[in-house]
Amino acid sequence: MISGMKRTVLAGLASAVMALGALTAAVPGNAAATSPLASSSFVSGQILVKFRDNAAASGVLGQHGLREGPAVGSTGAHLITVPAGKELHLVEALSHNPAVEYAEPDELATATSDDEYFPRQYALHNVGQAFTNTAGTKTVAAGTDNADVDAVEAWTVTTGGDTRVAIIDSGVAINHPDISSRVVERANFSDTAIVVDEDYDRYGHGTHVAGIVAAARDNTIGVAGVCPDCAILDAKVLNDSGSGSSSGIANGINWAVSKGAQVINMSLGRRVSSRTLEAAVNNAWNAGVVIVAAAGNGGTQAQVYPGAYPNVIAVAATDNNDMKASFSTYGKWVDVAAPGVGVYSTFPTYPFTLGGQNGRSMGYDIETGTSMASPIVAATAALVWNTAAGTSNIEVRKKIEATANPIKGTGTYWKYGRVDACKAVGCTK
Ligand SMILES: [Ca+2]
Ligand SMILES: [Ca+2]
Ligand SMILES: [Ca+2]
């Protein structure tokens, strides 16, 4: 009877956990005509034009249905408002006019991050860019300016200061050039035997979640984490197929607390509550840890644990237009939202289960789910720990919830809004 119950528990958890990480249908698969590079490299809705004779400006612009705009300092160029999507077309047309010395897009040269895939990380910095997956076989259609958590702006205040974030998941790949160096401690509570290094994450989920939190920023390769100077505590509780037990997860939580975790992320869950899991969560909260978990991918209001426990921040998923993802679990019990559709991050550099299931590339690729939204919030909590509000887990949680952007659906799909890292750390935009 005991073993039978155990099997039931394991099966329930496995399906729920698989569902959190294994969604593909929500990523738009249609190839858009827009070149991802072109659309990601300049500011939408404006171009720069310098006239040979400013007296001709009004007439030339009028031919294209445009109006004069303000001078850009003493450069002689003017900033002209144009319809979004027409920037390159109008630059081309105006360049051929003899009265125009030059016309160019307003290129984005912000001090953001030189990481190869950073322009695809709309969750951190959304300029309305479209982008593809690593293989170039799927396009995520252009989103909306600033449907993001403003991580770049938040970094002007803090980049994390070695704050310890525990990733309770399928493990973090060893020897990954963009995330492994951020892992300060690791332990295995899953039923996977670790024989060689690759056994630490053959599923791929934990490596992706860890990269969302703390991938190395500004090292030219890969992606940048929301909290790029955070330290990762890698608690492997899920096996190669993404399933784990309540006892394993509880042990992972206890270990994380003992290792000084200030934030715990759990991109996992199931419909059935566990008194052991809840006790571990409450002990961690009482020890001062901020605890964040995925709301689930059921597309219903059904509560998922551990996210539904009062001491856990439950996170729903939005897309690059600040709309609720269709698959995201929602409801008044869900606390906040964060981007969770087509989120770029690290994957193992060797074959892994999610790669085969969802067609993801080795090294780096997109993944979709509330599993991807949760670590964005966990990383934001880690950033807040490095500010004046970082006096206790109560204050950090309060700051994240109070500064969330009340996007459409707030009050229905989630209580507080889509998390805003910039406002959470008190930066100015
Ligand atoms: Ca932004
Ligand atoms: Ca990087
Ligand atoms: Ca909760």
Side-chain angles (χ1 to χ4, degrees):
M1 186 176 173
I2 287 172
S3 66
M5 282 178 67
K6 194 176 168 195
R7 269 201 298 277
T8 306
V9 168
L10 282 168
L13 186 59
S15 59
V17 168
M18 294 285 286
L20 290 193
L23 270 153
T24 51
V27 181
N30 58 316
T34 320
S35 153
L37 277 178
S39 63
S40 65
S41 60
F42 56 82
V43 180
S44 169
Q46 61 193 42
I47 61 173
L48 293 163
V49 184
K50 186 176 183 185
F51 292 91
R52 294 186 199 282
D53 175 5
N54 281 330
S58 176
V60 171
L61 291 168
Q63 290 167 22
H64 298 281
L66 304 174
R67 293 171 163 214
E68 288 187 81
V72 181
S74 56
T75 61
H78 291 256
L79 191 61
I80 307 299
T81 300
V82 301
K86 297 285 186 195
E87 299 88 356
L88 296 179
H89 171 77
L90 287 163
V91 161
E92 173 80 14
L94 287 165
S95 297
H96 289 122
N97 192 305
V100 173
E101 185 176 327
Y102 67 82
E104 62 183 13
D106 192 6
E107 298 284 349
L108 277 169
T110 45
T112 51
S113 160
D114 65 11
D115 306 83
E116 181 181 1
Y117 297 119
F118 185 79
R120 306 180 189 198
Q121 290 188 273
Y122 79 88
L124 285 66
H125 189 56
N126 193 342
V127 293
Q129 68 270 44
F131 58 95
T132 70
N133 64 349
T134 303
T137 52
K138 282 180 184 162
T139 299
V140 176
T144 306
D145 257 16
N146 277 321
D148 60 23
V149 301
D150 277 337
V152 171
E153 291 82 352
W155 294 338
T156 64
V157 175
T158 175
T159 50
D162 289 319
T163 299
R164 292 189 163 206
V165 179
I167 306 296
I168 312 279
D169 213 290
S170 63
V172 182
I174 296 178
N175 299 328
H176 191 291
D178 221 15
I179 185 60
S180 299
S181 65
R182 302 310 306 161
V183 177
V184 291
E185 301 236 24
R186 49 168 43 98
N188 178 26
F189 304 97
S190 76
D191 57 13
T192 296
I194 306 293
V195 180
V196 294
D197 281 353
E198 286 75 10
D199 294 331
Y200 243 96
D201 188 19
R202 291 195 186 276
Y203 187 49
H205 193 267
T207 301
H208 202 266
V209 168
I212 291 169
V213 173
R217 170 191 165 219
D218 254 346
N219 62 344
T220 75
I221 60 164
V223 291
V226 173
C227 184
D229 290 326
C230 270
I232 296 295
L233 295 167
D234 170 10
K236 178 172 173 58
V237 302
L238 305 179
N239 63 20
D240 297 349
S241 50
S243 75
S245 62
S246 292
S247 59
I249 297 169
N251 281 332
I253 292 170
N254 296 339
W255 172 82
V257 173
S258 77
K259 295 297 179 182
Q262 288 182 274
V263 181
I264 287 175
N265 183 79
M266 287 184 278
S267 290
L268 50 82
R270 60 173 180 176
R271 296 279 303 279
V272 181
S273 182
S274 152
R275 293 177 69 168
T276 305
L277 181 56
E278 184 170 18
V281 160
N282 290 341
N283 289 343
W285 174 259
N286 292 334
V289 183
V290 177
I291 309 157
V292 185
N297 300 338
T300 68
Q301 302 195 51
Q303 296 196 344
V304 168
Y305 302 92
Y309 296 132
N311 286 331
V312 178
I313 303 174
V315 185
T318 51
D319 64 12
N320 61 355
N321 291 303
D322 263 344
M323 301 292 284
K324 182 184 88 68
S326 56
F327 59 79
S328 181
T329 299
Y330 62 97
K332 291 208 160 66
W333 67 273
V334 177
D335 300 291
V336 295
V341 178
V343 176
Y344 242 91
S345 187
T346 48
F347 271 129
T349 52
Y350 46 85
F352 56 100
T353 308
L354 280 182
Q357 279 177 359
N358 297 354
R360 308 307 185 204
S361 295
M362 290 187 276
Y364 309 91
D365 215 336
I366 55 172
E367 192 52 271
T368 289
T370 54
S371 283
M372 284 65 241
S374 179
I376 291 175
V377 177
T380 302
L383 293 175
V384 175
W385 269 117
N386 288 275
T387 68
T391 52
S392 70
N393 57 344
I394 296 169
E395 293 304 314
V396 170
R397 177 174 183 175
K398 206 183 283 177
K399 183 61 84 172
I400 284 176
E401 294 174 339
T403 59
N405 189 328
I407 59 169
K408 189 179 166 215
T410 298
T412 305
Y413 293 149
W414 43 74
K415 202 168 167 187
Y416 295 101
R418 192 254 302 128
V419 162
D420 186 321
C422 175
K423 282 189 183 157
V425 301
C427 78
T428 50
K429 301 188 193 181

